[in-house]
Amino acid sequence: MSSSDSPSSTKDVALIVGGGPGISASCARLFAESGMRVAVAARSPDKPVLRALEDSHGVRRYGCDASRPEEVDLLFRNVVSDLGTPRLVVHNIDGRVPGILRKGIADADPALAFETFQNAAFSAFLVGQSAARLMRDNPLDANGVRGTIIFTNASAALKGFAMSAAFAMTCHAKTGLAQSMARELMPEGIHVANVPIDAAIGFTQEDGTRAHRRAGTTVDDNMADPAHIAEVYLQLHRQHRSTWAFEVVLRPWVEKW
């Protein structure tokens, strides 16, 4: 580690929990380009997209199963040691397991429903808890803020769809978690935001098109662009405390809702 990479650097530290080619990768790029020191945590930190971010933007990669308390605790301790205490933490984990998709309430496997809840809502609790513990000790910045915690959520946070009980339960739990944290932490200078993405997210493919694995190729901006989602997250981090947004719902201009 060079002297410019020491934890005493004055640059803000951002931690993104959940690593993939969509929102997480876009956030990592934008945050790094905005002058932040960026860490990304994933169960599989050797994904090509994360290696590319390390090479192109100096992003630090960490392995972490965010549904396990001991791994989340170790993650935050390592990030603080390597980069410094985060002032921006993004929890970006969908959490669904394949066997739970499109299952009616009578047919949903309870074990898979519980795994989905652990992957998404419980991991959000663990990440939010660790972030809050650290951010409370952050000195106030020039705007009187100690940090920002952002939870990516989904359409199911707003409406429980048929054949999706486990995921609806999980997304509603994340919303309740974020609401409770916001009421507790915002008066202490920690901004908490819940961001339901009410859309398919089309991320850039190798051929330059934007696409979603189930919804197809983006046409005329009919899917959410993760690069612009990242811009909203950065705006949330930079919002003045007199007008903090708690819930920001993002959807394309043609989305039916």
Side-chain angles (χ1 to χ4, degrees):
M1 186 185 300
S2 68
S3 60
S4 63
D5 289 333
S6 68
S8 61
S9 169
T10 58
K11 292 182 178 180
D12 278 359
V13 175
L15 170 59
I16 302 159
V17 183
I23 294 175
S24 292
S26 294
C27 283
R29 291 188 198 97
L30 181 61
F31 297 167
E33 290 166 0
S34 301
M36 296 184 189
R37 302 172 59 75
V38 181
V40 177
R43 283 178 173 169
S44 302
D46 290 331
K47 293 177 183 178
V49 65
L50 300 185
R51 286 187 173 277
L53 286 168
E54 181 180 55
D55 294 339
S56 63
H57 289 77
V59 172
R60 295 290 189 98
R61 297 178 290 119
Y62 296 86
C64 179
D65 179 346
S67 70
R68 298 179 65 85
E70 66 277 10
E71 293 197 26
V72 173
D73 179 66
L74 179 60
L75 168 66
F76 275 82
R77 286 193 281 115
N78 285 338
V79 170
V80 171
S81 176
D82 295 342
L83 302 177
T85 302
R87 281 189 175 267
L88 172 58
V89 172
V90 175
H91 178 274
N92 183 50
I93 298 175
D94 177 284
R96 280 175 288 189
V97 293
I100 204 66
L101 298 175
R102 301 298 300 167
K103 294 293 184 182
I105 188 63
D107 300 320
D109 184 330
L112 296 182
F114 187 59
E115 185 178 352
T116 298
F117 184 85
Q118 283 183 306
N119 287 345
F122 186 57
S123 74
F125 168 82
L126 294 175
V127 170
Q129 181 182 64
S130 290
R133 286 171 172 168
L134 289 173
M135 287 182 182
R136 278 179 160 146
D137 292 329
N138 278 342
L140 295 170
D141 66 13
N143 296 316
V145 181
R146 301 185 193 278
T148 307
I149 303 170
I150 299 174
F151 296 101
T152 301
N153 217 323
S155 303
L158 309 169
K159 49 195 174 185
F161 291 93
M163 312 290 286
S164 187
F167 192 55
M169 170 183 69
T170 294
C171 292
H172 277 63
K174 288 172 70 174
T175 295
L177 169 71
Q179 286 179 350
S180 178
M181 288 179 57
R183 290 185 169 98
E184 178 182 353
L185 298 176
M186 285 169 65
E188 299 180 27
I190 300 172
H191 185 187
V192 179
N194 182 49
V195 185
I197 312 296
D198 188 20
I201 299 172
F203 60 88
T204 303
Q205 309 295 303
E206 290 184 1
D207 62 2
T209 63
R210 285 199 301 113
H212 182 275
R213 64 186 182 279
R214 290 195 298 272
T217 301
T218 299
V219 177
D220 200 20
D221 292 323
N222 67 320
M223 296 185 200
D225 186 335
H228 294 298
I229 294 172
E231 290 177 0
V232 173
Y233 285 16
L234 184 59
Q235 290 167 359
L236 285 168
H237 180 53
R238 292 175 170 173
Q239 279 184 334
H240 191 271
R241 62 180 178 173
S242 68
T243 49
W244 273 348
F246 164 68
E247 188 162 83
V248 180
V249 182
L250 302 180
R251 56 176 64 90
W253 63 292
V254 293
E255 189 75 17
K256 294 180 180 179
W257 57 291

